[in-house]
Amino acid sequence: QVQLVESGGGSVQAGGSLRLSCVASGYTVSTDCMGWFRQAPGKEREGVGKIWPGGVLYNTDSAKGRFTISKDSAKNILYLQMNSLKPEDTAMYYCWAPPRFSCPDLGSVAETRIGYWGQGTQVTVSS
């Protein structure tokens, strides 16, 4: 059974940083595709980015250059480092893992919600 548990959210001022963590069980961070999504109040869930053995893809222009997805294979943890945070980054952030041996497009995942999801961790950025 796949279980994803996020932590690291909180409240910060604009310009600050946070690092989100996702501890995975029943899933192998080092060899499988995983990613991060976020959902702001009243908005659709959107993919932040995904990582797989061959690379990393950041889905949103706002994340590029400010967010970094990485992993600790020994601990089986996925990270999302967020720098230069803006009020528009305020959202619930979700760790995500697709069905095994797949790495689908983040847009389709946001629509279908396919895969496994953590419970989410809230990030609030104040101006």
Side-chain angles (χ1 to χ4, degrees):
Q1 183 177 357
V2 177
Q3 187 174 15
L4 306 173
V5 180
E6 305 99 330
S7 63
S11 297
V12 295
Q13 291 191 328
S17 298
L18 283 173
R19 188 177 77 162
L20 307 185
S21 300
C22 172
V23 178
S25 58
Y27 213 82
T28 306
V29 171
S30 61
T31 59
D32 292 318
C33 174
M34 293 186 71
W36 291 94
F37 283 73
R38 67 184 182 182
Q39 188 166 16
K43 294 188 176 181
E44 298 293 322
R45 189 168 298 191
E46 66 172 354
V48 174
K50 64 181 181 180
I51 186 168
W52 67 99
V56 182
L57 173 69
Y58 297 100
N59 194 49
T60 64
D61 289 339
S62 63
K64 295 175 184 177
R66 298 190 299 123
F67 293 2
T68 303
I69 296 174
S70 63
K71 56 189 177 182
D72 184 328
S73 298
K75 297 180 180 179
N76 216 38
I77 298 176
L78 181 72
Y79 297 106
L80 177 63
Q81 177 68 43
M82 303 185 293
N83 299 325
S84 302
L85 283 162
K86 304 175 181 180
E88 50 264 44
D89 294 318
T90 294
M92 185 73 79
Y93 284 72
Y94 297 92
C95 179
W96 163 81
R100 296 299 299 276
F101 312 116
S102 73
C103 198
D105 174 74
L106 295 180
S108 65
V109 174
E111 291 183 8
T112 63
R113 303 290 176 91
I114 190 172
Y116 306 95
W117 298 87
Q119 82 286 353
T121 185
Q122 178 68 38
V123 172
T124 302
V125 185
S126 59
S127 58

